[in-house]
Amino acid sequence: MGNLDLVTIIIIAANVIITYKGFGDYSFFEKYKFNVGAVKRGEQIRLISSGFLHADTQHLLFNMLSLYFFADLVIRLLSPVQFLLIYFGSLLLGNLLSLYFHKNEYHYSAVGASGAVTGIIYAAILLQPGMSLMFFFIPVPIPAYVFGIGYLLYSMYGMKKRVGNIGHDAHFGGAIGGYIITLFLAPWLFETSLPMIGLLAIPIVLLFVLKKMGKI
């Protein structure tokens, strides 16, 4: 993992250019960030444009590094076009889930590629469920599916407790996007990875059950 395909370079470059434009131009940032009230007034472009803006350099760097490590696997096992479908579909679904959860909070705003990147990470986990992930703060490899399920459970906790200034619902929506779109594009996974598909579906089903029960 970690090789840069042309399409990955273009996505990263677009994020960097648009993010730094936003850093230096407050009106540009305000015009294109995700905002519930603005989207409800018809400014749907924000559902996509907000994914190319970031709160600060650290936020941008974290998202682009995560994309760098997982993009090549998805492109190699599917195709550049299918990678883009997952990326933009996850970005859109992440913001739509945010809109659903915050529909009555007209001032709610968010920025970042996290939903899109989370979708790519989930696509990679589905396509290569046996891979292990290494983190600086954990000295042993973690199976990718354990990370995926754990991340979604943490996102649910973050949504319930409003942990940090983080769009946990956009992360969750992006993961759902990556999950659904990848299965649509690669139906052979139902033959090769059915137990893993079921396992990764558990936190997604749990989210909507808890939402219906009023727990989130």
Side-chain angles (χ1 to χ4, degrees), residues 8 18 37 46 49 55 58-59 63 78 95 115 122 129-130 140 143 153 163 173 182 195-197 202 206 211-212:
T8 311
I18 295 170
R46 291 173 183 257
S49 62
Q58 184 181 359
H59 186 204
N63 276 335
L78 295 176
N95 279 331
Y122 268 74
V140 294
L153 292 175
V163 175
T182 301
M196 188 60 61
I197 290 170
I202 291 171
L206 184 61
K211 174 67 174 172
K212 192 168 181 62

Side-chain angles (χ1 to χ4, degrees), residues 11-189:
I11 290 288
I12 291 175
N15 271 278
V16 171
I17 291 166
I18 295 170
T19 290
Y20 275 90
K21 167 70 173 170
F23 287 168
D25 187 338
Y26 179 76
S27 62
F28 178 86
F29 185 89
E30 289 295 306
K31 183 178 180 180
Y32 291 110
K33 70 179 183 181
F34 174 82
N35 173 264
V36 171
V39 172
K40 284 195 161 190
R41 287 194 300 271
E43 297 176 31
Q44 275 85 16
I45 190 172
R46 291 173 183 257
L47 295 170
I48 298 296
S49 62
S50 61
F52 290 88
L53 294 166
H54 290 81
D56 51 43
T57 301
Q58 184 181 359
H59 186 204
L60 172 67
L61 187 62
F62 179 81
N63 276 335
M64 294 305 100
L65 273 175
S66 301
L67 182 63
Y68 166 77
F69 284 117
F70 289 95
D72 180 64
L73 173 65
V74 176
I75 291 169
R76 184 161 42 86
L77 295 179
L78 295 176
S79 72
V81 171
Q82 290 176 321
F83 164 83
L84 288 173
L85 282 173
I86 296 168
Y87 186 91
F88 283 100
S90 299
L91 171 58
L92 182 60
L93 202 58
N95 279 331
L96 286 174
L97 193 69
S98 284
L99 188 64
Y100 172 67
F101 275 93
H102 300 280
K103 58 182 177 289
N104 297 320
E105 301 170 47
Y106 282 76
H107 295 291
Y108 180 85
S109 299
V111 291
S114 301
V117 173
T118 307
I120 294 300
I121 292 173
Y122 268 74
I125 292 171
L126 276 172
L127 292 165
Q128 200 165 92
M131 69 177 171
S132 295
L133 305 177
M134 289 285 288
F135 298 94
F136 294 116
F137 49 89
I138 303 175
V140 294
I142 298 175
Y145 70 88
V146 172
F147 166 77
I149 292 170
Y151 186 81
L152 282 195
L153 292 175
Y154 171 72
S155 292
M156 267 193 284
Y157 171 80
M159 289 161 69
K160 182 175 176 60
K161 300 293 187 181
R162 298 291 179 99
V163 175
N165 187 26
I166 300 170
H168 295 284
D169 29 34
H171 295 181
F172 209 110
I176 295 172
Y179 180 86
I180 293 172
I181 299 167
T182 301
L183 291 177
F184 178 77
L185 295 174
W188 44 266
L189 289 170

